[in-house]
Amino acid sequence: KETLDKGLEKTKQSVFSKLTRAVAGKSKVDDEVLDNLEEILITSDVGVDTTLKIIERIEERVARDKYVSTGELNNILKDEIAALLSENNTQDNDNWELPETGNPYVILVVGVNGVGKTTTIGKLAHQFKQAGKSVYLGAADTFRAAAVEQICIWGERVGVPVVKQQMGSDPASVAFDTLSSAKANGADVVIIDTAGRLHNKIGLMNELKKIKDVMKKVMPEAPNEVLLVLDGSTGQNAFEQAKQFSAVTNITALAITKLDGTAKGGVVIGISDQLKVPVKYIGLGEGMEDLQLFNRKHFVDSLFN
Ligand code: GDP
């Protein structure tokens, strides 16, 4: 909770100071307050469509209750945003337990370079290991030498094995090797890195399809999670990437990084709503510990308290 509060500080302060200005001198939520609120949410990177949805719900509430004081606005916003997030299956995750399937739980990680993909994989490995699970990493971004190196560094730092092949080898083959080793060794979690070349959409689509098909040869249910990593500090860019990736493959969970040091934390709400995909993890710093399971209640509390 403290890390979250600290990480979301910039977003909170920005939203908060705008809110305070929006209701200054007003005791009742009226059209003018709602107009101001709409502008605040849009400029806080919640996105236009999601903002309109939230405003509409608050309007309904104001119409129903006749009188809503501006003092209640914070709590109303918290309620509406939490409700909105629960509509896309966002869970209040509070532990690192995994479903019992008898096989390792497989997370296929996608996202463009620079968003914090490798760091997120390292942090995930650390969190799962801390929770007593054995973890395997697969270096299936065989396109860049640096990607393989980086993931090996994280593997060493966290103390988990990394399965790799030489540069330029077939990513699906790396995925196959990783799943086979993990299964043979009774691992609990497998996390596979992939190359995020969005400029070649057909290539990326085929590559991810091939990786998934090959995974199923080892375990029919794999991948259990297709995790898209997005850089929260890029605001609207993250929205665009989210849309483009969901056109290429079926995304089942989101990790939103770099929420520390940005006032654009509102993207979490908008992206999840627009994509209908739950946010599962959030990145709040560069360190091993700076990844949290997303919890709706904690999130809205940190933003609006
Ligand atoms: P990749 O190219 O997507 O694999 O990106 P990296 O994992 O190498 O991360 C790119 C940069 O972002 C590195 O300097 C990371 O330390 C940094 N980074 C990743 N996640 C976070 C985060 O949650 N907060 C902050 N402040 N920095 C992050």
Side-chain angles (χ1 to χ4, degrees), residues 41 44-47 50-51 54 80-82 84-85 88 239 256 264-275 279 294 299-300 303-304:
L41 293 176
S44 303
D45 285 86
V46 172
T50 303
T51 295
I54 296 170
E80 295 300 342
I81 290 171
L84 194 73
L85 286 171
N88 355 306
F239 263 90
I256 304 195
K264 297 178 188 287
V267 290
V268 170
I269 303 161
I271 291 179
S272 172
D273 177 51
Q274 295 300 308
L275 249 70
V279 177
F294 185 75
F299 183 77
V300 294
L303 279 193
F304 296 106

Side-chain angles (χ1 to χ4, degrees), residues 33-103:
V33 170
L34 287 171
D35 278 350
N36 290 341
L37 183 60
E38 183 176 318
E39 196 184 319
I40 292 169
L41 293 176
I42 291 173
T43 56
S44 303
D45 285 86
V46 172
V48 176
D49 295 340
T50 303
T51 295
L52 293 179
K53 218 188 243 182
I54 296 170
I55 295 294
E56 204 170 289
R57 290 177 188 203
I58 298 179
E59 267 166 3
E60 276 166 23
R61 193 147 160 177
V62 171
R64 195 185 58 217
D65 297 351
K66 303 284 189 290
Y67 183 92
V68 173
S69 78
T70 49
E72 289 170 84
L73 203 51
N74 250 10
N75 279 334
I76 292 176
L77 266 173
K78 274 195 334 195
D79 286 355
E80 295 300 342
I81 290 171
L84 194 73
L85 286 171
S86 59
E87 286 162 23
N88 355 306
N89 273 326
T90 301
Q91 311 275 314
D92 290 329
N93 302 296
D94 54 14
N95 67 60
W96 292 85
E97 286 315 307
L98 293 165
E100 285 284 344
T101 59
N103 270 329

Side-chain angles (χ1 to χ4, degrees), residues 227-239:
L227 179 68
L228 172 63
V229 183
L230 296 169
D231 178 345
S233 71
T234 62
Q236 296 310 302
N237 256 345
F239 263 90

Side-chain angles (χ1 to χ4, degrees), residues 169-187:
S169 57
D170 183 355
S173 159
V174 179
F176 183 86
D177 278 0
T178 315
L179 264 60
S180 306
S181 303
K183 190 176 173 176
N185 289 291

Side-chain angles (χ1 to χ4, degrees), residues 41-299:
L41 293 176
I42 291 173
T43 56
S44 303
D45 285 86
V46 172
V48 176
D49 295 340
T50 303
T51 295
L52 293 179
K53 218 188 243 182
I54 296 170
I55 295 294
E56 204 170 289
R57 290 177 188 203
I58 298 179
E59 267 166 3
E60 276 166 23
R61 193 147 160 177
V62 171
R64 195 185 58 217
D65 297 351
K66 303 284 189 290
Y67 183 92
V68 173
S69 78
T70 49
E72 289 170 84
L73 203 51
N74 250 10
N75 279 334
I76 292 176
L77 266 173
K78 274 195 334 195
D79 286 355
E80 295 300 342
I81 290 171
L84 194 73
L85 286 171
S86 59
E87 286 162 23
N88 355 306
N89 273 326
T90 301
Q91 311 275 314
D92 290 329
N93 302 296
D94 54 14
N95 67 60
W96 292 85
E97 286 315 307
L98 293 165
E100 285 284 344
T101 59
N103 270 329
Y105 185 85
V106 179
I107 306 176
L108 181 66
V109 185
V110 301
V112 302
N113 297 329
V115 293
K117 198 155 42 104
T118 320
T119 309
T120 301
I121 292 172
K123 290 169 173 174
L124 280 170
H126 171 70
Q127 295 291 353
F128 282 120
K129 198 176 173 215
Q130 290 286 102
K133 318 225 168 291
S134 62
V135 184
Y136 266 69
L137 300 181
D141 179 354
T142 59
F143 195 68
R144 293 181 308 148
V148 180
E149 261 164 47
Q150 282 299 317
I151 202 161
C152 288
I153 292 171
W154 272 102
E156 254 170 54
R157 194 181 293 166
V158 176
V160 301
V162 180
V163 176
K164 59 172 180 174
Q165 292 178 5
Q166 71 223 49
M167 262 276 296
S169 57
D170 183 355
S173 159
V174 179
F176 183 86
D177 278 0
T178 315
L179 264 60
S180 306
S181 303
K183 190 176 173 176
N185 289 291
D188 300 308
V189 193
V190 180
I191 309 172
I192 308 269
D193 187 20
T194 62
R197 284 170 288 155
L198 251 191
H199 57 273
N200 179 358
K201 287 208 193 62
I202 303 289
L204 182 63
M205 190 187 294
N206 290 337
E207 183 168 301
L208 293 174
K209 181 173 187 309
K210 190 171 170 199
I211 293 175
K212 285 181 177 176
D213 289 348
V214 160
M215 282 182 166
K216 294 198 191 307
K217 294 197 174 136
V218 189
M219 297 169 218
E221 70 279 15
N224 303 75
E225 192 169 305
V226 180
L227 179 68
L228 172 63
V229 183
L230 296 169
D231 178 345
S233 71
T234 62
Q236 296 310 302
N237 256 345
F239 263 90
E240 273 312 304
Q241 280 173 21
K243 278 190 219 146
Q244 295 185 352
F245 266 97
S246 25
V248 168
T249 194
N250 182 33
I251 306 294
T252 69
L254 301 173
I256 304 195
T257 65
K258 309 191 198 181
L259 289 174
D260 54 302
T262 177
K264 297 178 188 287
V267 290
V268 170
I269 303 161
I271 291 179
S272 172
D273 177 51
Q274 295 300 308
L275 249 70
K276 302 282 169 265
V277 173
V279 177
K280 197 157 179 195
Y281 315 99
I282 51 176
L284 296 161
E286 295 187 277
M288 208 144 65
E289 305 279 343
D290 300 326
L291 183 83
Q292 292 198 351
L293 284 163
F294 185 75
N295 180 303
R296 277 176 318 154
K297 187 173 177 324
H298 294 168
F299 183 77

